[in-house]
Amino acid sequence: MTAAHLTVDPRFAIGHVRRRLFGGFVEHLGRHVYDGIYEPGHPAADEQGFRTDVLELVRELGVSMIRYPGGNFVSGFRWEDSVGPREQRPRRLDLAWHSTETNEVGLHEFADWLDKAGCELMLAVNLGTRGVLEALDLLEYSNVPGGTALSQRRIDNGRAEPFDVRVWCLGNEMDGSWQLGHRSADDYGTLAAQTARGMRQMDPSIELVVCGSSGAAMPTFGEWEREVLTHTYDDVDMVSCHAYYQEHDGDAASFLASAVDMDRFIEAVVATADHVGAARGSSKKIDISFDEWNVWYIDRVDAVKPTAIDDWPIAPRLLEDVYSVLDAVVFGSLLISLVKHADRVASASLAQLVNVIAPIMTEPGGPAWRQTTFFPFALTSRLARGEAVRLRVEAPTIDTARYGTVSAVDAVATVDDAAEAVAVFLVHRGLERPVDLEIDVSAFGEVGVVETHLLHDDDPGASNTLDDPERVRPRTVQTRLGNGILSLTLPPVAWAAVSLRRVG
Ligand code: AHR
């Protein structure tokens, strides 16, 4: 048994936890849209063909804003294909995922689905194979109330009110060689700045996200951000970060420390953005949109290889990772990292939502169920309210091959003054022994424990599957409170959340 001491004090406030930190991402990829959120003919489908069982799970997950429609998909996408009478919509080849896109679900249907799910729309424009004009056309179609050709087309297509999309992504992963229309930082920065200025001329109230690196391991990382932001600093609000983690070669210790890498990634991008701002003498701050993050076994993917010229399946099974308890513990620690940077991470999108590297899985004609990663997301989204607060953590350390010596325990708290509520989120990365935690919460006066949740299993490889969808559920964890000290024991490889409320 080892021990750790933590202190939560509201004076160490980081920043307000914005709801957009708990965003998601729906890409036209594999069985995400078709046979995922949309399956006409399913017993649970509503009148529009949307699965109500999936909608219920999406609401329970507590997702705020959803990025759409890609991803790599967006770089070959013609938005006009996805609106208007369905029977006239063209079928297109999706080169990114070697599939056929039927356009049966498009902008109007997806916006209806978001209304049902209670989520906000975040739209990505295609800056891979298209440019300024097409982005302006989509903005006019979406946000202009009426009186112009494209706003009238939207009205004729059945939507009188504008979609009023607040947040727009200027392309996707334009630093990646796999991206259709991949560009140099100079070329992309020029195009993104022109597009941003044009879009702002039409609607000055929108928020714009420029593409940062598609991963901190990219050879252009850092320099890409500097160059792109030098072009776009005055015209955008956020720069994107993307990060996916997986266990390599059975190295669970390094995998469990993935959030250390996420911390460094965020801090490096903030430093680069602030450097560009300083060099320009600007008082403006660029925030981060961490608009793709997750555990993803990219190595296990039989990547989308060009097959025969006539083999373009509709909604094939792609990227359907099954997540273990170990994956979910790492996933929970990534959420801790995001909350720890609430001052600069204005928005984040879990990639993705249904079937495709997803917390929610479905079977055609069959059930929908929660993967292990569902639980830390739903609990953090529900309990992390108010201000994020940095903890003082004194804990044993662990040596990892990838990230050096790291703390065995990581944590963050949130304090909601209005509700007189405190929530503490914890991860124990140790692989062998439990850790005894003593958390000093005396700064809050008299408090009582309201809820506890522990994600752990004696088998860290346990997962929820079609055959056993309830195998993994969070349990409660025993706590003791006395003299302002909250005590609990975390087993190895565990994620936990504890919520407290002021009493008296
Ligand atoms: O989320 C899966 C893919 O990962 C996205 O399409 C792309 O942006 C990223 O490389």
Side-chain angles (χ1 to χ4, degrees):
M1 184 78 78
T2 52
H5 301 273
L6 293 82
T7 308
V8 194
D9 188 319
R11 286 174 297 182
F12 303 147
I14 301 165
H16 188 70
V17 181
R18 291 166 265 202
R19 292 319 299 160
R20 285 179 180 161
L21 202 61
F22 304 105
F25 173 31
V26 171
E27 178 164 9
H28 281 251
L29 194 182
R31 297 193 308 121
H32 200 160
V33 174
Y34 310 109
D35 277 358
I37 66 172
Y38 174 78
E39 192 187 335
H42 188 279
D46 67 11
E47 67 295 345
Q48 284 187 289
F50 293 125
R51 283 184 62 157
T52 54
D53 53 347
V54 174
L55 273 166
E56 259 167 52
L57 288 175
V58 170
R59 285 190 286 261
E60 183 186 325
L61 189 64
V63 210
S64 52
M65 181 168 71
I66 297 190
R67 183 168 175 251
Y68 178 83
N72 296 339
F73 170 81
V74 82
S75 291
F77 180 54
R78 293 170 240 210
W79 69 266
E80 304 87 336
D81 292 348
S82 81
V83 299
R86 264 183 173 160
E87 59 289 355
Q88 289 168 25
R89 294 185 196 168
R91 288 179 165 226
R92 297 278 187 197
L93 300 182
D94 164 18
L95 304 189
W97 302 107
H98 209 269
S99 311
T100 296
E101 173 55 51
T102 64
N103 284 304
E104 210 175 326
V105 172
L107 181 56
H108 289 248
E109 294 79 20
F110 191 66
D112 289 346
W113 183 82
L114 288 173
D115 288 344
K116 294 175 185 190
C119 302
E120 182 187 356
L121 176 59
M122 177 191 210
L123 262 189
V125 300
N126 175 357
L127 289 190
T129 53
R130 308 190 96 188
V132 184
L133 185 63
E134 294 88 349
L136 290 176
D137 284 351
L138 179 55
L139 178 61
E140 180 186 331
Y141 187 91
S142 304
N143 281 17
V144 172
T148 66
L150 289 169
S151 58
Q152 187 56 47
R153 199 192 299 176
R154 182 197 69 240
I155 295 166
D156 294 345
N157 286 337
R159 180 92 178 200
E161 295 302 315
F163 293 108
D164 194 25
V165 181
R166 300 286 85 221
V167 188
W168 295 76
C169 303
L170 299 166
N172 176 69
E173 295 192 345
M174 298 307 303
D175 62 325
S177 57
W178 57 88
Q179 202 67 219
L180 263 181
H182 161 230
R183 286 162 212 269
S184 67
D186 187 32
D187 286 351
Y188 169 66
T190 305
L191 175 62
Q194 289 167 349
T195 309
R197 280 183 217 131
M199 291 177 80
R200 282 245 162 92
Q201 274 174 258
M202 190 182 297
D203 185 348
S205 68
I206 55 176
E207 293 172 56
L208 296 172
V209 183
V210 73
C211 289
S213 296
S214 47
M218 294 296 286
T220 49
F221 174 58
E223 189 50 22
W224 172 275
E225 279 76 2
R226 191 198 61 73
E227 206 167 342
V228 165
L229 283 172
T230 299
H231 281 286
T232 58
Y233 202 86
D234 297 332
D235 304 303
V236 303
D237 304 282
M238 287 172 264
V239 58
S240 69
C241 292
H242 291 183
Y244 294 101
Y245 297 95
Q246 67 182 99
E247 186 180 3
H248 294 276
D249 307 321
D251 180 2
S254 293
F255 181 42
L256 280 158
S258 299
V260 171
D261 183 71
M262 193 185 231
D263 290 343
R264 291 178 190 161
F265 186 7
I266 293 170
E267 285 153 27
V269 174
V270 166
T272 306
D274 288 352
H275 162 75
V276 176
R280 305 169 69 83
S282 174
S283 58
K284 175 180 175 180
K285 292 281 184 220
I286 297 286
D287 280 335
I288 288 179
S289 166
F290 214 119
D291 48 43
E292 288 189 32
W293 70 269
N294 203 347
V295 171
W296 177 14
Y297 286 85
I298 303 176
D299 290 357
R300 277 188 211 154
V301 173
D302 183 14
V304 189
K305 295 182 191 117
T307 51
I309 189 70
D310 57 351
D311 180 19
W312 295 85
I314 297 172
R317 287 184 188 257
L318 289 174
L319 283 54
E320 301 203 2
D321 285 17
V322 176
Y323 291 117
S324 66
V325 169
L326 171 64
D327 296 327
V329 169
V330 172
F331 180 101
S333 74
L334 299 177
L335 278 162
I336 290 174
S337 172
L338 291 172
V339 177
K340 269 166 54 176
H341 295 93
D343 53 338
R344 295 301 288 273
V345 181
S347 164
S349 313
L350 164 62
Q352 298 196 15
L353 199 60
V354 180
N355 288 333
V356 172
I357 45 173
I360 299 168
M361 297 300 288
T362 71
E363 201 47 35
W369 67 97
R370 302 168 189 82
Q371 291 235 52
T372 54
T373 52
F374 185 98
F375 304 111
F377 191 100
L379 288 164
T380 309
S381 172
R382 181 165 66 78
L383 296 174
R385 302 276 159 167
E387 294 292 307
V389 171
R390 193 177 314 285
L391 268 67
R392 178 187 158 96
V393 178
E394 296 161 284
T397 55
I398 294 171
D399 293 327
T400 71
R402 277 178 175 256
Y403 308 119
T405 302
V406 306
S407 174
V409 174
D410 197 15
V412 74
T414 59
V415 178
D416 182 354
D417 278 335
E420 306 210 304
V422 181
V424 186
F425 305 92
L426 301 147
V427 63
H428 179 211
R429 299 168 170 144
L431 281 160
E432 277 149 27
R433 283 177 297 281
V435 62
D436 276 338
L437 301 183
E438 288 200 335
I439 309 175
D440 184 339
V441 290
S442 57
F444 298 97
E446 190 91 5
V447 289
V449 173
V450 183
E451 294 176 39
T452 67
H453 306 274
L454 171 69
L455 192 69
H456 164 81
D457 199 282
D458 290 342
D459 173 10
S463 56
N464 291 341
T465 58
L466 175 61
D467 293 335
D468 198 355
E470 302 277 332
R471 165 70 180 79
V472 178
R473 301 281 305 191
R475 308 194 302 259
T476 54
V477 56
Q478 215 175 4
T479 57
R480 295 167 300 284
L481 245 179
N483 299 324
I485 304 291
L486 171 73
S487 310
L488 65 148
T489 299
L490 290 184
V493 190
W495 177 91
V498 179
S499 84
L500 308 155
R501 197 174 296 274
R502 280 205 186 97
V503 290

